[in-house]
Amino acid sequence: MKKIAAMLCMLTCVFGLTACGSKEAISDMENKRCETAKIMATDFVVPFMMNFFDDSVAKQYQTDYNVHELEALTENELSYYLYFYSSYGINYEFNAIDVDGIAILNGITSFNSTYKSLGEVDATNGLTAKSEVSGDKIIVTVPLTGTLTDKKGNLRTAEAELIFSNDIFLKVESCTLNLNQSIGELMGKAAMDTVMGMGTVFAVLILISLIIWAMGGIPKLQEKLKKKNKDEVQKLKEDAVDNTIAQIIEKEERVGTTEDLELAAVIAAAVAAYEGAAGADGFVVRSIRKRR
């Protein structure tokens, strides 16, 4: 009984320690950084990223600038806004905002694509934000409400999520705009993605099957071409033999004709000598027959 009681006490202590350690308390310095990160997000970064709701502006930044140029350009723009606001007597505890070029590039794509479902955002009354510390990162989320509505007639909402480095520089390392969707919309999108994925797989399989089927006809085509070439070669051989035979016959006939003419001349001369004629002009050999 004592062992069971001791075991229960130990488990109670373990669960108590786990509950107490579920969320670490952050220091005053980190609290101050979180507040500064929220101000950077709501007053500068998110309003700047909302410029890329415009397709032409987003396309210009994506095509005309590389990552390093985009980083420098964004920091210059944010510095200008900071100087502009400061000229109206608004004092900030920071004099520059550092950003990562890839974070801005991804943010441009995210803000531009989400705008088609969210619509315009009214930020005239200012934006609110919440933050949390996650290791060496500070995550700031800024809720936004657009002008477009969902199927139920409710205004679309989204959350801009910015990740800052948890140090004295508070560099923007990530920037995205996530549209809030209902479970039905998420399920519909998941089903559409599944159908598209399966359709792509089946299309590729059909294409592979057609390629394999076409490859099966290659040997037949090769055999057909080989047979055709063989027939052509055989015909060329036969034509060559026929031509050779014809040439031989023609030559023999030509030789035979020459020999007959010579023989006729000899006979005509012999007959003329026998008759005592002066020449063989008056004699014509009609035919020559061999006597057996």
PDB file of all heavy atoms in Angstrom, residues 33-35 37-38 41 129-142 159-166 170-171 173-174 176 178:
ATOM      1  N   ARG A  33      11.610  43.524 -26.850  1.00  0.00           N
ATOM      2  CA  ARG A  33      11.825  43.193 -28.260  1.00  0.00           C
ATOM      3  C   ARG A  33      10.510  42.833 -28.945  1.00  0.00           C
ATOM      4  O   ARG A  33      10.273  43.199 -30.105  1.00  0.00           O
ATOM      5  CB  ARG A  33      12.805  42.029 -28.376  1.00  0.00           C
ATOM      6  CG  ARG A  33      14.244  42.383 -28.023  1.00  0.00           C
ATOM      7  CD  ARG A  33      15.104  41.142 -28.040  1.00  0.00           C
ATOM      8  NE  ARG A  33      16.478  41.427 -27.611  1.00  0.00           N
ATOM      9  CZ  ARG A  33      17.375  40.485 -27.310  1.00  0.00           C
ATOM     10  NH1 ARG A  33      17.033  39.192 -27.392  1.00  0.00           N
ATOM     11  NH2 ARG A  33      18.582  40.827 -26.934  1.00  0.00           N
ATOM     12  N   CYS A  34       9.651  42.098 -28.248  1.00  0.00           N
ATOM     13  CA  CYS A  34       8.351  41.734 -28.814  1.00  0.00           C
ATOM     14  C   CYS A  34       7.523  42.973 -29.112  1.00  0.00           C
ATOM     15  O   CYS A  34       6.878  43.067 -30.174  1.00  0.00           O
ATOM     16  CB  CYS A  34       7.598  40.815 -27.855  1.00  0.00           C
ATOM     17  SG  CYS A  34       8.253  39.130 -27.755  1.00  0.00           S
ATOM     18  N   GLU A  35       7.523  43.936 -28.195  1.00  0.00           N
ATOM     19  CA  GLU A  35       6.774  45.164 -28.429  1.00  0.00           C
ATOM     20  C   GLU A  35       7.342  45.932 -29.617  1.00  0.00           C
ATOM     21  O   GLU A  35       6.597  46.468 -30.441  1.00  0.00           O
ATOM     22  CB  GLU A  35       6.788  46.031 -27.166  1.00  0.00           C
ATOM     23  CG  GLU A  35       6.032  45.441 -25.988  1.00  0.00           C
ATOM     24  CD  GLU A  35       4.567  45.198 -26.314  1.00  0.00           C
ATOM     25  OE1 GLU A  35       3.958  46.062 -26.985  1.00  0.00           O
ATOM     26  OE2 GLU A  35       4.040  44.150 -25.921  1.00  0.00           O
ATOM     27  N   ALA A  37       9.006  44.617 -32.134  1.00  0.00           N
ATOM     28  CA  ALA A  37       8.696  43.846 -33.339  1.00  0.00           C
ATOM     29  C   ALA A  37       7.259  44.085 -33.782  1.00  0.00           C
ATOM     30  O   ALA A  37       6.977  44.189 -34.990  1.00  0.00           O
ATOM     31  CB  ALA A  37       8.938  42.359 -33.080  1.00  0.00           C
ATOM     32  N   LYS A  38       6.330  44.197 -32.839  1.00  0.00           N
ATOM     33  CA  LYS A  38       4.935  44.462 -33.192  1.00  0.00           C
ATOM     34  C   LYS A  38       4.780  45.836 -33.840  1.00  0.00           C
ATOM     35  O   LYS A  38       4.030  46.002 -34.804  1.00  0.00           O
ATOM     36  CB  LYS A  38       4.045  44.348 -31.950  1.00  0.00           C
ATOM     37  CG  LYS A  38       3.867  42.911 -31.473  1.00  0.00           C
ATOM     38  CD  LYS A  38       2.744  42.779 -30.468  1.00  0.00           C
ATOM     39  CE  LYS A  38       3.063  43.454 -29.155  1.00  0.00           C
ATOM     40  NZ  LYS A  38       1.989  43.233 -28.155  1.00  0.00           N
ATOM     41  N   ALA A  41       6.061  45.657 -37.325  1.00  0.00           N
ATOM     42  CA  ALA A  41       5.155  44.911 -38.201  1.00  0.00           C
ATOM     43  C   ALA A  41       3.942  45.739 -38.584  1.00  0.00           C
ATOM     44  O   ALA A  41       3.569  45.817 -39.765  1.00  0.00           O
ATOM     45  CB  ALA A  41       4.734  43.617 -37.527  1.00  0.00           C
ATOM     46  N   ALA A 129      -1.523  43.733 -33.260  1.00  0.00           N
ATOM     47  CA  ALA A 129      -0.685  42.549 -33.446  1.00  0.00           C
ATOM     48  C   ALA A 129      -0.507  41.828 -32.120  1.00  0.00           C
ATOM     49  O   ALA A 129      -0.711  42.404 -31.035  1.00  0.00           O
ATOM     50  CB  ALA A 129       0.674  42.945 -34.021  1.00  0.00           C
ATOM     51  N   LYS A 130      -0.161  40.575 -32.217  1.00  0.00           N
ATOM     52  CA  LYS A 130       0.233  39.791 -31.048  1.00  0.00           C
ATOM     53  C   LYS A 130       1.540  39.077 -31.368  1.00  0.00           C
ATOM     54  O   LYS A 130       1.853  38.833 -32.536  1.00  0.00           O
ATOM     55  CB  LYS A 130      -0.852  38.790 -30.660  1.00  0.00           C
ATOM     56  CG  LYS A 130      -1.209  37.804 -31.757  1.00  0.00           C
ATOM     57  CD  LYS A 130      -2.328  36.876 -31.302  1.00  0.00           C
ATOM     58  CE  LYS A 130      -2.694  35.878 -32.418  1.00  0.00           C
ATOM     59  NZ  LYS A 130      -3.767  34.960 -31.988  1.00  0.00           N
ATOM     60  N   SER A 131       2.280  38.772 -30.326  1.00  0.00           N
ATOM     61  CA  SER A 131       3.613  38.197 -30.536  1.00  0.00           C
ATOM     62  C   SER A 131       3.866  37.070 -29.550  1.00  0.00           C
ATOM     63  O   SER A 131       3.231  36.980 -28.492  1.00  0.00           O
ATOM     64  CB  SER A 131       4.695  39.273 -30.384  1.00  0.00           C
ATOM     65  OG  SER A 131       4.690  39.784 -29.066  1.00  0.00           O
ATOM     66  N   GLU A 132       4.800  36.229 -29.922  1.00  0.00           N
ATOM     67  CA  GLU A 132       5.257  35.162 -29.036  1.00  0.00           C
ATOM     68  C   GLU A 132       6.711  34.847 -29.354  1.00  0.00           C
ATOM     69  O   GLU A 132       7.174  35.036 -30.483  1.00  0.00           O
ATOM     70  CB  GLU A 132       4.394  33.912 -29.185  1.00  0.00           C
ATOM     71  CG  GLU A 132       4.456  33.269 -30.564  1.00  0.00           C
ATOM     72  CD  GLU A 132       3.693  31.956 -30.606  1.00  0.00           C
ATOM     73  OE1 GLU A 132       3.832  31.178 -29.650  1.00  0.00           O
ATOM     74  OE2 GLU A 132       2.975  31.715 -31.583  1.00  0.00           O
ATOM     75  N   VAL A 133       7.429  34.383 -28.335  1.00  0.00           N
ATOM     76  CA  VAL A 133       8.842  34.040 -28.491  1.00  0.00           C
ATOM     77  C   VAL A 133       8.949  32.537 -28.690  1.00  0.00           C
ATOM     78  O   VAL A 133       8.365  31.749 -27.931  1.00  0.00           O
ATOM     79  CB  VAL A 133       9.656  34.484 -27.263  1.00  0.00           C
ATOM     80  CG1 VAL A 133      11.114  34.040 -27.405  1.00  0.00           C
ATOM     81  CG2 VAL A 133       9.582  35.993 -27.096  1.00  0.00           C
ATOM     82  N   SER A 134       9.680  32.137 -29.705  1.00  0.00           N
ATOM     83  CA  SER A 134       9.917  30.722 -29.985  1.00  0.00           C
ATOM     84  C   SER A 134      11.414  30.525 -30.211  1.00  0.00           C
ATOM     85  O   SER A 134      11.909  30.650 -31.332  1.00  0.00           O
ATOM     86  CB  SER A 134       9.117  30.275 -31.209  1.00  0.00           C
ATOM     87  OG  SER A 134       9.379  28.914 -31.511  1.00  0.00           O
ATOM     88  N   GLY A 135      12.133  30.264 -29.135  1.00  0.00           N
ATOM     89  CA  GLY A 135      13.581  30.079 -29.239  1.00  0.00           C
ATOM     90  C   GLY A 135      14.278  31.360 -29.639  1.00  0.00           C
ATOM     91  O   GLY A 135      14.135  32.405 -28.989  1.00  0.00           O
ATOM     92  N   ASP A 136      14.981  31.310 -30.768  1.00  0.00           N
ATOM     93  CA  ASP A 136      15.696  32.491 -31.246  1.00  0.00           C
ATOM     94  C   ASP A 136      14.866  33.275 -32.254  1.00  0.00           C
ATOM     95  O   ASP A 136      15.402  34.083 -33.010  1.00  0.00           O
ATOM     96  CB  ASP A 136      17.030  32.084 -31.874  1.00  0.00           C
ATOM     97  CG  ASP A 136      16.849  31.129 -33.047  1.00  0.00           C
ATOM     98  OD1 ASP A 136      15.732  30.592 -33.204  1.00  0.00           O
ATOM     99  OD2 ASP A 136      17.815  30.931 -33.803  1.00  0.00           O
ATOM    100  N   LYS A 137      13.540  33.055 -32.250  1.00  0.00           N
ATOM    101  CA  LYS A 137      12.637  33.770 -33.158  1.00  0.00           C
ATOM    102  C   LYS A 137      11.541  34.470 -32.366  1.00  0.00           C
ATOM    103  O   LYS A 137      11.124  34.023 -31.298  1.00  0.00           O
ATOM    104  CB  LYS A 137      11.987  32.810 -34.164  1.00  0.00           C
ATOM    105  CG  LYS A 137      12.948  31.877 -34.874  1.00  0.00           C
ATOM    106  CD  LYS A 137      13.880  32.603 -35.802  1.00  0.00           C
ATOM    107  CE  LYS A 137      14.810  31.622 -36.527  1.00  0.00           C
ATOM    108  NZ  LYS A 137      15.829  32.322 -37.339  1.00  0.00           N
ATOM    109  N   ILE A 138      11.065  35.578 -32.930  1.00  0.00           N
ATOM    110  CA  ILE A 138       9.888  36.270 -32.402  1.00  0.00           C
ATOM    111  C   ILE A 138       8.836  36.260 -33.506  1.00  0.00           C
ATOM    112  O   ILE A 138       9.068  36.788 -34.603  1.00  0.00           O
ATOM    113  CB  ILE A 138      10.212  37.710 -31.985  1.00  0.00           C
ATOM    114  CG1 ILE A 138      11.204  37.715 -30.818  1.00  0.00           C
ATOM    115  CG2 ILE A 138       8.935  38.456 -31.586  1.00  0.00           C
ATOM    116  CD1 ILE A 138      11.638  39.107 -30.393  1.00  0.00           C
ATOM    117  N   ILE A 139       7.703  35.637 -33.240  1.00  0.00           N
ATOM    118  CA  ILE A 139       6.644  35.491 -34.227  1.00  0.00           C
ATOM    119  C   ILE A 139       5.565  36.533 -33.951  1.00  0.00           C
ATOM    120  O   ILE A 139       4.989  36.567 -32.861  1.00  0.00           O
ATOM    121  CB  ILE A 139       6.047  34.071 -34.199  1.00  0.00           C
ATOM    122  CG1 ILE A 139       7.139  33.026 -34.431  1.00  0.00           C
ATOM    123  CG2 ILE A 139       4.939  33.931 -35.241  1.00  0.00           C
ATOM    124  CD1 ILE A 139       6.674  31.599 -34.274  1.00  0.00           C
ATOM    125  N   VAL A 140       5.291  37.367 -34.924  1.00  0.00           N
ATOM    126  CA  VAL A 140       4.285  38.419 -34.815  1.00  0.00           C
ATOM    127  C   VAL A 140       3.184  38.131 -35.823  1.00  0.00           C
ATOM    128  O   VAL A 140       3.452  37.918 -37.011  1.00  0.00           O
ATOM    129  CB  VAL A 140       4.899  39.811 -35.085  1.00  0.00           C
ATOM    130  CG1 VAL A 140       3.815  40.886 -35.024  1.00  0.00           C
ATOM    131  CG2 VAL A 140       5.997  40.113 -34.081  1.00  0.00           C
ATOM    132  N   THR A 141       1.933  38.123 -35.361  1.00  0.00           N
ATOM    133  CA  THR A 141       0.784  37.927 -36.246  1.00  0.00           C
ATOM    134  C   THR A 141      -0.081  39.178 -36.221  1.00  0.00           C
ATOM    135  O   THR A 141      -0.381  39.723 -35.151  1.00  0.00           O
ATOM    136  CB  THR A 141      -0.045  36.696 -35.820  1.00  0.00           C
ATOM    137  OG1 THR A 141      -0.427  36.842 -34.440  1.00  0.00           O
ATOM    138  CG2 THR A 141       0.764  35.423 -35.982  1.00  0.00           C
ATOM    139  N   VAL A 142      -0.488  39.614 -37.410  1.00  0.00           N
ATOM    140  CA  VAL A 142      -1.302  40.821 -37.561  1.00  0.00           C
ATOM    141  C   VAL A 142      -2.596  40.433 -38.267  1.00  0.00           C
ATOM    142  O   VAL A 142      -2.567  40.067 -39.447  1.00  0.00           O
ATOM    143  CB  VAL A 142      -0.558  41.897 -38.375  1.00  0.00           C
ATOM    144  CG1 VAL A 142      -1.409  43.164 -38.480  1.00  0.00           C
ATOM    145  CG2 VAL A 142       0.797  42.205 -37.752  1.00  0.00           C
ATOM    146  N   GLU A 159      -4.296  36.560 -41.731  1.00  0.00           N
ATOM    147  CA  GLU A 159      -3.278  36.890 -40.733  1.00  0.00           C
ATOM    148  C   GLU A 159      -1.927  37.033 -41.403  1.00  0.00           C
ATOM    149  O   GLU A 159      -1.475  36.110 -42.097  1.00  0.00           O
ATOM    150  CB  GLU A 159      -3.200  35.816 -39.638  1.00  0.00           C
ATOM    151  CG  GLU A 159      -4.290  35.908 -38.596  1.00  0.00           C
ATOM    152  CD  GLU A 159      -4.031  35.009 -37.394  1.00  0.00           C
ATOM    153  OE1 GLU A 159      -3.101  34.172 -37.483  1.00  0.00           O
ATOM    154  OE2 GLU A 159      -4.727  35.133 -36.384  1.00  0.00           O
ATOM    155  N   ALA A 160      -1.339  38.201 -41.220  1.00  0.00           N
ATOM    156  CA  ALA A 160       0.033  38.398 -41.681  1.00  0.00           C
ATOM    157  C   ALA A 160       0.968  37.877 -40.599  1.00  0.00           C
ATOM    158  O   ALA A 160       0.883  38.308 -39.444  1.00  0.00           O
ATOM    159  CB  ALA A 160       0.301  39.871 -41.950  1.00  0.00           C
ATOM    160  N   GLU A 161       1.818  36.944 -40.970  1.00  0.00           N
ATOM    161  CA  GLU A 161       2.752  36.351 -40.008  1.00  0.00           C
ATOM    162  C   GLU A 161       4.166  36.782 -40.361  1.00  0.00           C
ATOM    163  O   GLU A 161       4.653  36.517 -41.451  1.00  0.00           O
ATOM    164  CB  GLU A 161       2.645  34.828 -40.024  1.00  0.00           C
ATOM    165  CG  GLU A 161       3.557  34.152 -38.995  1.00  0.00           C
ATOM    166  CD  GLU A 161       3.479  32.644 -39.049  1.00  0.00           C
ATOM    167  OE1 GLU A 161       4.174  32.053 -39.906  1.00  0.00           O
ATOM    168  OE2 GLU A 161       2.718  32.062 -38.259  1.00  0.00           O
ATOM    169  N   LEU A 162       4.815  37.433 -39.413  1.00  0.00           N
ATOM    170  CA  LEU A 162       6.180  37.894 -39.596  1.00  0.00           C
ATOM    171  C   LEU A 162       7.069  37.242 -38.536  1.00  0.00           C
ATOM    172  O   LEU A 162       6.697  37.192 -37.355  1.00  0.00           O
ATOM    173  CB  LEU A 162       6.287  39.416 -39.487  1.00  0.00           C
ATOM    174  CG  LEU A 162       5.761  40.232 -40.670  1.00  0.00           C
ATOM    175  CD1 LEU A 162       4.240  40.319 -40.623  1.00  0.00           C
ATOM    176  CD2 LEU A 162       6.355  41.625 -40.679  1.00  0.00           C
ATOM    177  N   ILE A 163       8.200  36.759 -38.952  1.00  0.00           N
ATOM    178  CA  ILE A 163       9.151  36.150 -38.023  1.00  0.00           C
ATOM    179  C   ILE A 163      10.390  37.039 -37.973  1.00  0.00           C
ATOM    180  O   ILE A 163      11.034  37.290 -38.989  1.00  0.00           O
ATOM    181  CB  ILE A 163       9.528  34.724 -38.459  1.00  0.00           C
ATOM    182  CG1 ILE A 163       8.276  33.844 -38.477  1.00  0.00           C
ATOM    183  CG2 ILE A 163      10.584  34.140 -37.537  1.00  0.00           C
ATOM    184  CD1 ILE A 163       8.529  32.420 -38.938  1.00  0.00           C
ATOM    185  N   PHE A 164      10.706  37.520 -36.769  1.00  0.00           N
ATOM    186  CA  PHE A 164      11.877  38.348 -36.534  1.00  0.00           C
ATOM    187  C   PHE A 164      12.951  37.527 -35.817  1.00  0.00           C
ATOM    188  O   PHE A 164      12.643  36.573 -35.082  1.00  0.00           O
ATOM    189  CB  PHE A 164      11.526  39.561 -35.661  1.00  0.00           C
ATOM    190  CG  PHE A 164      10.606  40.546 -36.307  1.00  0.00           C
ATOM    191  CD1 PHE A 164       9.229  40.335 -36.331  1.00  0.00           C
ATOM    192  CD2 PHE A 164      11.098  41.700 -36.890  1.00  0.00           C
ATOM    193  CE1 PHE A 164       8.370  41.248 -36.924  1.00  0.00           C
ATOM    194  CE2 PHE A 164      10.246  42.628 -37.486  1.00  0.00           C
ATOM    195  CZ  PHE A 164       8.882  42.396 -37.504  1.00  0.00           C
ATOM    196  N   SER A 165      14.182  37.917 -36.023  1.00  0.00           N
ATOM    197  CA  SER A 165      15.271  37.303 -35.249  1.00  0.00           C
ATOM    198  C   SER A 165      15.229  37.847 -33.826  1.00  0.00           C
ATOM    199  O   SER A 165      15.031  39.037 -33.605  1.00  0.00           O
ATOM    200  CB  SER A 165      16.622  37.616 -35.897  1.00  0.00           C
ATOM    201  OG  SER A 165      16.837  39.019 -35.943  1.00  0.00           O
ATOM    202  N   ASN A 166      15.390  36.968 -32.854  1.00  0.00           N
ATOM    203  CA  ASN A 166      15.310  37.359 -31.443  1.00  0.00           C
ATOM    204  C   ASN A 166      16.667  37.881 -30.980  1.00  0.00           C
ATOM    205  O   ASN A 166      17.380  37.245 -30.200  1.00  0.00           O
ATOM    206  CB  ASN A 166      14.855  36.161 -30.601  1.00  0.00           C
ATOM    207  CG  ASN A 166      14.573  36.547 -29.160  1.00  0.00           C
ATOM    208  OD1 ASN A 166      14.574  37.727 -28.818  1.00  0.00           O
ATOM    209  ND2 ASN A 166      14.337  35.552 -28.314  1.00  0.00           N
ATOM    210  N   LEU A 170      16.513  42.492 -34.701  1.00  0.00           N
ATOM    211  CA  LEU A 170      15.126  42.179 -35.047  1.00  0.00           C
ATOM    212  C   LEU A 170      14.933  42.152 -36.572  1.00  0.00           C
ATOM    213  O   LEU A 170      14.077  42.842 -37.141  1.00  0.00           O
ATOM    214  CB  LEU A 170      14.178  43.206 -34.421  1.00  0.00           C
ATOM    215  CG  LEU A 170      14.005  43.130 -32.903  1.00  0.00           C
ATOM    216  CD1 LEU A 170      13.139  44.278 -32.414  1.00  0.00           C
ATOM    217  CD2 LEU A 170      13.395  41.803 -32.493  1.00  0.00           C
ATOM    218  N   LYS A 171      15.727  41.345 -37.235  1.00  0.00           N
ATOM    219  CA  LYS A 171      15.663  41.245 -38.689  1.00  0.00           C
ATOM    220  C   LYS A 171      14.448  40.428 -39.117  1.00  0.00           C
ATOM    221  O   LYS A 171      14.161  39.371 -38.553  1.00  0.00           O
ATOM    222  CB  LYS A 171      16.940  40.592 -39.222  1.00  0.00           C
ATOM    223  CG  LYS A 171      17.039  40.565 -40.734  1.00  0.00           C
ATOM    224  CD  LYS A 171      18.390  40.042 -41.183  1.00  0.00           C
ATOM    225  CE  LYS A 171      18.539  40.114 -42.690  1.00  0.00           C
ATOM    226  NZ  LYS A 171      19.875  39.656 -43.137  1.00  0.00           N
ATOM    227  N   GLU A 173      12.839  37.787 -41.006  1.00  0.00           N
ATOM    228  CA  GLU A 173      13.343  36.583 -41.658  1.00  0.00           C
ATOM    229  C   GLU A 173      12.266  35.840 -42.432  1.00  0.00           C
ATOM    230  O   GLU A 173      12.574  34.957 -43.231  1.00  0.00           O
ATOM    231  CB  GLU A 173      13.974  35.651 -40.620  1.00  0.00           C
ATOM    232  CG  GLU A 173      15.181  36.270 -39.916  1.00  0.00           C
ATOM    233  CD  GLU A 173      15.805  35.328 -38.915  1.00  0.00           C
ATOM    234  OE1 GLU A 173      15.148  34.321 -38.550  1.00  0.00           O
ATOM    235  OE2 GLU A 173      16.944  35.589 -38.495  1.00  0.00           O
ATOM    236  N   SER A 174      11.003  36.176 -42.202  1.00  0.00           N
ATOM    237  CA  SER A 174       9.913  35.518 -42.926  1.00  0.00           C
ATOM    238  C   SER A 174       8.709  36.446 -42.926  1.00  0.00           C
ATOM    239  O   SER A 174       8.469  37.180 -41.962  1.00  0.00           O
ATOM    240  CB  SER A 174       9.551  34.176 -42.276  1.00  0.00           C
ATOM    241  OG  SER A 174       8.451  33.574 -42.933  1.00  0.00           O
ATOM    242  N   THR A 176       4.598  36.282 -44.512  1.00  0.00           N
ATOM    243  CA  THR A 176       3.542  35.623 -45.286  1.00  0.00           C
ATOM    244  C   THR A 176       2.185  36.182 -44.894  1.00  0.00           C
ATOM    245  O   THR A 176       2.014  36.723 -43.792  1.00  0.00           O
ATOM    246  CB  THR A 176       3.532  34.095 -45.067  1.00  0.00           C
ATOM    247  OG1 THR A 176       3.391  33.824 -43.649  1.00  0.00           O
ATOM    248  CG2 THR A 176       4.804  33.451 -45.579  1.00  0.00           C
ATOM    249  N   ASN A 178      -1.628  34.721 -44.643  1.00  0.00           N
ATOM    250  CA  ASN A 178      -2.400  33.478 -44.672  1.00  0.00           C
ATOM    251  C   ASN A 178      -3.892  33.785 -44.578  1.00  0.00           C
ATOM    252  O   ASN A 178      -4.353  34.424 -43.624  1.00  0.00           O
ATOM    253  CB  ASN A 178      -1.984  32.566 -43.511  1.00  0.00           C
ATOM    254  CG  ASN A 178      -0.493  32.282 -43.524  1.00  0.00           C
ATOM    255  OD1 ASN A 178       0.070  31.966 -44.561  1.00  0.00           O
ATOM    256  ND2 ASN A 178       0.154  32.408 -42.372  1.00  0.00           N
TER     257      ASN A 178
END
